[in-house]
Amino acid sequence: MLPDYFARELNDRQLEVVTDTEHPILVLAGAGSGKTRSIIYRAAYLIKEKQVPPWKLLMVTFTNKAAKELQERLEKLLGIPMRTLWVGTFHSLCSRILRFESIHLPFNSNYSIYDEDAQKSLLKKLYKEHGFDAEKLKINRVLSKIGGYKNRLLLPEDLLANYPEEDKELGSILNIYRLYQQQLLLNQALDFDDILLYTARLLQSNEAVREKYRAQFQYIMIDEYQDTNAAQFEIIHQLASGHQRVCVVGDDDQAIYSFRGASLRNILEFEKDYRGVRSIRLEQNYRSTGNILALANAVIKHNRRRHVKELWSEHPPGEKPRLRTYHNEIDEANQVVEEVKALHKKGMSYQQIAILYRTNAQSRVFESSLMQARIPYSIVGGQHFYQRKEIKDLLCYLATLCNNSDNESLLRIINEPPRGIGQTSVNRLISYAAKTRISIYSALQNSEAIEELGSGAKKRISEFTLQLNTWKTIASQSPALEVVKTIVEELGLISQYRKSSDPREIARAENLIEFVSSVSEFSEKFQRDNERHPLVEDFLPFVALQTDMDMVKEEADSLRLMTLHNAKGLEFEAVFIVGLEEELLPHRMSMDSREEIEEERRLFYVGITRAKRILQLSNASSRRLYDTFYFAKPSQFIGELDVTLFDLPDGDPGIAPAPQRVRKPQKVIKETQKHYRIGQKVYHNEYGLGVILSVDGESEDARLTISFAGKLAKIMGNYVKTEF
């Protein structure tokens, strides 16, 4: 007999999740369907009604915050402490197991856990000791490769015996992996991927340990199962495959973390992994109005790889989602902020409003507009635009050119990007500057007089000093935009970051492009107001004011700015999804396959389902890239939808959407088609002779970044001539 409060608090489907405890259960929980409540009540039912001791339960979440919430709500429901309950993230729970079972492992129970900075520091040391080329083998890329191997439970010895010897690059990466792993063990340290890898391999190889934990964890519950990777799957499979009492909760329509190694296969094929699986769909939504859910359902139905679900609600239909097109990204930001002000005037708190975008770089124009409107905001899951590393580095270059006494700015950029000026040389420069009581910038000018510096160090310092002095001369005479473009181009940062397969590196390139756009925008306004081009010394105070976030820190009621990825798991009264354009959403780096397009569509779906009452979608007709504008195509995801789902401005037929397209690499290119390469000279009827700086795509469909006498433009391949 169920307690009365169970029936009062749960719907019929949720009750099924709670009470069917002896079979493998796949809970397909749509957005806002009360999955957390279902998990908590299932645990309460096992403890109170089935008399299962708390330590016999294993509850796995993806954040420590979620784990804490589960435990606190369970304690409140049962009225007793749950100190013996195993609840936590995969990493926290596996770490406990490794410390308990260290006798079976090549490290002791007091091992250290290295974060990303420690990993990079260790790799830099290994590169230096063993002569690896950091230019050819980028540390971020190598770390990403190592993480991928560990996700597949592969150690260096598993790989080195079988790799093709002719692949020299792969051989180098595997040797780095071998040395890296050896050094970790010498240091009695693990990285985060190691925690999962060693737990999975221990459970696979040691029957006694495996049976011990199978006997302990009689009931297993996994939240956000769609976000599990191969290693996490194996850990759960090893623990649950004996008794089969495993309940996984997730939503394949919210699977958006493949770039972290998450495998959609785990939730789609759960029924193949266990015997007698029962699937339960939670489709009643407690969050959003009917019209918002209608849009969400219409979006996600275009995905093929999914469990079919249809969200519904007992809430009234509410307002239709708004669909708006603006002139450019500045107009979009300003108009969205006006809508925010209107909502706030009607009584909605700022903290109940969110602006969602695909990439971090898109936050800048909204930050500027919000500041001008004096609306407090906070960025969730990310840094403020001008606080991001690559932006701060560039600002430190500018600060050094304007103020030679700014030692901190100089020290930040003296070897950023790497130019062979090591810490020993830096320490000698600092010592000389202190001894002679001059700035470090002045010490650079006198480097030949510093006896402790070797000839190689003096040469590299001299080259850097010459570069700084050249830029300083330009900065004293030229507009800020020209100075910034010169530094960015001569450092080669954008092209460097774009070469990486690491999404974080690609984001850095986008942020730098957005920074140049911000200088261009500032310059236009400054020139209008002051009738002259701004210098760097004019731009820096503007940025300093932009980075003053005191208002946000003091004000609890602040609007939320975040990427769509960071919005997962959150909810707001009003949501604005901006930048719904091709190459933003779907992102240009995620258009090479149907699978990638479907994940981008899931990301859009996640954004839509964050909204409770108010939802607005928008795009810009043109967008600034570097210091020029290009025409933006509306997202193909809008084109898939019936315009009757939207609230449109009077007389507006809706966005004319881009056709759905998946960018497919061409394996065979006809001889009549054009080929483009970086450095190639081309001719444009309007701009004249130019040089290609980057190529995105192939043949006439390629999107080219071209320098025309120092002026950059983004042009499709069919608009330029290669023979002239």
Side-chain angles (χ1 to χ4, degrees):
M1 180 70 70
L2 279 171
D4 290 341
Y5 65 86
F6 272 54
R8 289 196 306 269
E9 296 292 329
L10 304 171
N11 63 41
D12 291 345
R13 298 287 80 76
Q14 291 172 329
L15 280 171
E16 292 177 35
V17 175
V18 169
T19 56
D20 191 342
T21 59
E22 302 307 307
H23 299 95
I25 301 292
L26 171 62
V27 184
L28 296 166
S33 62
K35 66 179 178 67
T36 303
R37 173 172 294 192
S38 302
I39 295 172
I40 292 167
Y41 274 77
R42 179 182 172 90
Y45 178 77
L46 285 165
I47 294 168
K48 187 169 183 176
E49 303 302 318
K50 302 272 294 188
Q51 297 297 301
V52 179
W55 61 87
K56 292 285 187 180
L57 271 60
L58 176 64
M59 302 177 72
V60 187
T61 68
F62 268 77
T63 68
N64 291 308
K65 181 182 177 183
K68 183 181 178 184
E69 182 189 355
L70 278 178
Q71 184 165 339
E72 289 176 348
R73 288 177 63 178
L74 185 58
E75 289 176 341
K76 185 177 180 181
L77 183 60
L78 294 175
I80 55 175
M82 289 285 117
R83 289 186 290 269
T84 61
L85 181 73
W86 279 64
V87 56
T89 65
F90 272 100
H91 286 92
S92 66
L93 296 168
C94 289
S95 183
R96 287 176 67 183
I97 292 174
L98 294 180
R99 294 188 191 279
F100 287 150
E101 308 301 334
S102 61
I103 191 173
H104 306 292
L105 297 163
F107 44 84
N108 62 44
S109 61
N110 295 319
Y111 61 83
S112 301
I113 299 175
Y114 279 6
D115 61 13
E116 188 176 351
D117 286 342
Q119 289 177 275
K120 289 180 178 178
S121 178
L122 180 55
L123 278 181
K124 287 176 182 177
K125 176 184 174 185
L126 293 174
Y127 272 48
K128 184 178 180 180
E129 290 177 354
H130 297 275
F132 293 108
D133 190 338
E135 287 299 314
K136 291 183 179 178
L137 295 168
K138 301 290 186 184
I139 283 178
N140 282 336
R141 179 167 166 256
V142 171
L143 270 179
S144 180
K145 288 280 188 183
I146 291 173
Y149 295 138
K150 291 184 177 184
N151 179 26
R152 301 198 302 276
L153 307 181
L154 297 170
L155 285 168
E157 53 266 31
D158 303 318
L159 298 159
L160 281 164
N162 300 307
Y163 86 94
E165 293 186 7
E166 63 271 15
D167 192 336
K168 302 298 184 184
E169 181 177 277
L170 177 59
S172 295
I173 291 172
L174 294 181
N175 272 309
I176 294 170
Y177 183 17
R178 175 179 60 83
L179 293 166
Y180 170 75
Q181 216 58 20
Q182 287 175 354
Q183 194 62 51
L184 281 175
L185 292 178
L186 284 172
N187 295 350
Q188 290 289 287
L190 304 182
D191 62 28
F192 284 94
D193 293 316
D194 280 330
I195 294 171
L196 302 180
L197 177 146
Y198 281 113
T199 303
R201 289 178 66 115
L202 177 64
L203 293 171
Q204 285 175 331
S205 62
N206 193 307
E207 184 179 359
V209 172
R210 181 171 62 250
E211 292 305 319
K212 171 184 174 181
Y213 288 100
R214 280 183 181 178
Q216 176 167 349
F217 302 134
Q218 289 292 299
Y219 296 88
I220 299 172
M221 286 167 272
I222 314 296
D223 195 11
E224 303 289 359
Y225 192 66
Q226 78 280 350
D227 295 333
T228 53
N229 61 27
Q232 290 160 338
F233 166 84
E234 185 62 22
I235 291 165
I236 295 305
H237 193 66
Q238 289 294 329
L239 292 172
S241 57
H243 54 67
Q244 300 272 309
R245 288 189 291 269
V246 57
C247 173
V248 302
V249 183
D251 183 6
D252 47 302
D253 290 334
Q254 298 187 71
I256 58 174
Y257 295 124
S258 66
F259 66 94
R260 295 181 183 172
S263 174
L264 185 60
R265 170 257 169 238
N266 292 353
I267 193 167
L268 291 181
E269 299 186 16
F270 181 82
E271 291 157 312
K272 297 179 182 178
D273 299 325
Y274 297 91
R275 303 182 305 274
V277 171
R278 185 177 178 200
S279 296
I280 301 173
R281 285 167 167 78
L282 302 183
E283 296 172 299
Q284 183 176 357
N285 179 283
Y286 295 93
R287 177 185 298 156
S288 307
T289 61
N291 279 322
I292 291 173
L293 295 180
L295 178 65
N297 289 329
V299 166
I300 205 62
K301 74 178 183 181
H302 290 275
N303 276 9
R304 296 178 183 178
R305 296 181 70 219
R306 63 185 293 258
H307 292 286
V308 176
K309 297 178 289 297
E310 189 84 8
L311 296 180
W312 62 276
S313 175
E314 293 181 346
H315 293 315
E319 296 182 18
K320 285 186 177 182
R322 306 166 190 165
L323 183 60
R324 301 289 187 265
T325 297
Y326 299 108
H327 178 62
N328 54 41
E329 75 273 25
I330 299 171
D331 185 34
E332 181 182 38
N334 290 337
Q335 293 302 317
V336 166
V337 168
E338 287 300 313
E339 295 286 350
V340 168
K341 287 162 67 177
L343 289 172
H344 187 65
K345 192 174 181 179
K346 292 178 182 177
M348 187 178 294
S349 65
Y350 287 126
Q351 64 184 1
Q352 285 299 321
I353 305 172
I355 298 173
L356 312 182
Y357 37 78
R358 177 62 177 84
T359 69
N360 280 311
Q362 291 171 259
S363 76
R364 182 192 59 84
V365 289
F366 290 94
E367 288 187 67
S368 294
S369 191
L370 288 164
M371 285 182 183
Q372 290 174 16
R374 300 191 65 79
I375 294 174
Y377 71 92
S378 56
I379 295 182
V380 177
Q383 296 172 297
H384 293 281
F385 182 81
Y386 292 110
Q387 294 297 313
R388 293 165 192 160
K389 177 194 175 302
E390 59 280 5
I391 304 302
K392 288 188 72 173
D393 289 345
L394 194 49
L395 287 169
C396 283
Y397 272 102
L398 299 179
T400 299
L401 301 182
C402 290
N403 180 6
N404 300 157
S405 298
D406 188 346
N407 288 338
E408 294 304 313
S409 290
L410 178 56
L411 288 174
R412 182 180 177 100
I413 54 99
I414 194 167
N415 201 42
E416 184 63 50
R419 51 176 56 89
I421 303 176
Q423 192 58 48
T424 300
S425 297
V426 171
N427 290 341
R428 287 168 179 169
L429 282 167
I430 293 171
S431 177
Y432 179 82
K435 186 170 60 178
T436 56
R437 298 185 178 183
I438 59 175
S439 68
I440 297 173
Y441 188 96
S442 298
L444 289 177
Q445 316 296 321
N446 297 330
S447 61
E448 289 293 331
I450 304 174
E451 296 177 358
E452 294 85 352
L453 291 173
S455 58
K458 287 181 179 180
K459 182 176 182 295
R460 290 185 290 272
I461 290 171
S462 178
E463 290 170 350
F464 175 55
T465 304
L466 178 62
Q467 191 172 46
L468 280 182
N469 290 340
T470 302
W471 290 341
K472 182 175 173 61
T473 301
I474 296 171
S476 66
Q477 306 168 353
S478 303
L481 179 60
E482 184 178 330
V483 178
V484 170
K485 288 168 64 178
T486 298
I487 294 173
V488 170
E489 289 167 12
E490 290 187 10
L491 289 176
L493 295 174
I494 294 175
S495 59
Q496 174 188 317
Y497 289 137
R498 275 182 165 171
K499 289 176 184 175
S500 174
S501 59
D502 188 334
R504 292 169 297 183
E505 297 288 282
I506 296 166
R508 293 189 191 283
E510 293 175 343
N511 289 336
L512 286 170
I513 292 169
E514 184 68 10
F515 180 83
V516 178
S517 299
S518 77
V519 182
S520 178
E521 179 187 318
F522 167 81
S523 298
E524 289 176 2
K525 186 177 187 305
F526 186 95
Q527 191 173 3
R528 286 197 304 269
D529 296 342
N530 298 276
E531 297 184 348
R532 68 175 177 85
H533 290 290
L535 300 175
V536 171
E537 63 192 38
D538 298 312
F539 179 66
L540 285 175
F542 165 77
V543 175
L545 293 173
Q546 294 283 73
T547 57
D548 185 3
M549 307 306 299
D550 289 343
M551 180 174 66
V552 175
K553 293 176 181 177
E554 293 172 1
E555 191 61 72
D557 182 22
S558 62
L559 177 144
R560 275 34 175 187
L561 288 173
M562 70 192 81
T563 65
L564 287 159
H565 281 100
N566 285 320
K568 189 168 175 289
L570 304 177
E571 60 183 38
F572 304 91
E573 289 293 320
V575 169
F576 296 84
I577 303 177
V578 301
L580 277 166
E581 300 146 30
E582 291 290 280
E583 304 203 353
L584 277 179
L585 188 68
H587 193 269
R588 67 183 185 89
M589 301 299 296
S590 301
M591 298 176 67
D592 291 328
S593 68
R594 178 172 294 278
E595 288 75 18
E596 289 178 333
I597 290 290
E598 289 203 351
E599 179 152 334
E600 291 289 296
R601 190 180 286 108
R602 290 194 293 271
L603 192 57
F604 184 31
Y605 172 85
V606 165
I608 292 170
T609 54
R610 300 311 93 194
K612 293 181 179 181
R613 294 195 294 116
I614 307 292
L615 175 64
Q616 178 171 304
L617 314 179
S618 63
N619 75 321
S621 298
S622 64
R623 189 168 291 272
R624 190 188 295 268
L625 183 71
Y626 221 66
D627 65 329
T628 61
F629 284 93
Y630 72 94
F631 291 107
K633 295 180 180 178
S635 171
Q636 60 185 262
F637 300 152
I638 299 297
E640 299 167 348
L641 303 171
D642 191 323
V643 294
T644 60
L645 292 165
F646 298 105
D647 169 344
L648 300 171
D650 292 340
D652 188 345
I655 294 175
Q660 180 170 345
R661 68 186 176 100
V662 177
R663 190 173 60 208
K664 296 182 179 179
Q666 294 176 281
K667 294 182 179 179
V668 179
I669 300 177
K670 298 178 181 178
E671 292 183 1
T672 57
Q673 292 178 324
K674 297 178 184 177
H675 296 263
Y676 302 100
R677 66 183 186 277
I678 295 173
Q680 182 180 13
K681 292 183 178 179
V682 293
Y683 182 81
H684 186 271
N685 288 337
E686 180 178 347
Y687 297 115
L689 189 64
V691 178
I692 297 176
L693 300 182
S694 71
V695 180
D696 184 10
E698 296 179 337
S699 187
E700 278 83 354
D701 292 330
R703 192 169 181 178
L704 312 174
T705 302
I706 306 173
S707 174
F708 296 99
K711 184 178 180 65
L712 292 186
K714 205 82 169 178
I715 297 174
M716 299 298 291
N718 59 334
Y719 289 105
V720 299
K721 299 176 182 178
T722 56
E723 297 179 2
F724 46 88

